[in-house]
Amino acid sequence: MGSSTSHFSLVLETPPASPDEARRHFLAKLSVETDASDVMLDLQRGQHSFLLIDARSAQDFDECHIPGAISLPYRKITAESTAHFSKALPMVIYCWSPACNAATKAAARLSTLGFQVKEMLGGIEYWRREGGLVEGTRGEQAPLIR
């Protein structure tokens, strides 16, 4: 393939946001997202400033989950099923992987009920890829994704 100079940029077809717009966007994004590495370090350091919620099915949770996580399948999230949780404590929600949207659905339902939520990007797949410990009936033998 020969190299030719173009006067049109696909990257800049839509101009970049102003620095202030970009800052607002990225801060808003960070206010609703976290990653497996940050969650792991907080837990290793004894942080108890958030609840870790597994939005996958109860069976998937039983087979393999992050130690200390609470099973709350996203389809079962109601005012009644969450009545025992404090709304003062933020929740970090995870599911399977970047291809799974159960954590997103759970976060939407929980925020509708008045909870503060962040989604853990990458789910349990990236938790495990980064060396995070898991427990359950299958533990490390459980599949990375389903």
Side-chain angles (χ1 to χ4, degrees):
M1 284 175 88
S3 175
S4 65
T5 302
S6 171
H7 297 289
F8 176 76
S9 169
L10 296 170
V11 171
L12 300 177
E13 179 178 15
T14 301
S18 73
D20 282 343
E21 289 172 313
R23 179 181 49 79
R24 281 192 299 275
H25 166 79
F26 290 114
L27 287 175
K29 187 175 175 179
L30 288 170
S31 73
V32 295
E33 296 176 348
T34 189
D35 63 23
S37 178
D38 287 349
V39 172
M40 195 178 308
L41 285 171
D42 266 5
L43 294 177
Q44 287 171 353
R45 294 175 180 165
Q47 273 293 322
H48 300 289
S49 54
F50 59 87
L51 294 176
L52 185 58
I53 305 292
D54 186 319
R56 301 171 306 141
S57 74
Q59 178 184 337
D60 291 333
F61 178 87
D62 288 343
E63 289 180 1
C64 180
H65 61 270
I66 298 170
I70 298 165
S71 177
L72 186 60
Y74 80 91
R75 286 190 173 105
K76 299 191 182 216
I77 294 173
T78 64
E80 295 75 28
S81 70
T82 59
H84 61 289
F85 293 119
S86 168
K87 291 187 177 166
L89 203 55
M91 296 176 162
V92 173
I93 321 299
Y94 73 88
C95 60
W96 279 106
S97 69
C100 175
N101 66 4
T104 304
K105 291 174 182 177
R109 290 178 184 197
L110 288 163
S111 61
T112 297
L113 293 171
F115 292 96
Q116 302 169 69
V117 295
K118 284 192 171 206
E119 182 177 4
M120 186 179 85
L121 300 175
I124 197 166
E125 175 189 355
Y126 277 61
W127 173 270
R128 290 173 66 187
R129 287 178 185 263
E130 292 190 30
L133 299 176
V134 293
E135 60 188 19
T137 58
R138 295 186 66 194
E140 291 291 338
Q141 307 312 307
L144 275 179
I145 57 174
R146 188 161 310 210

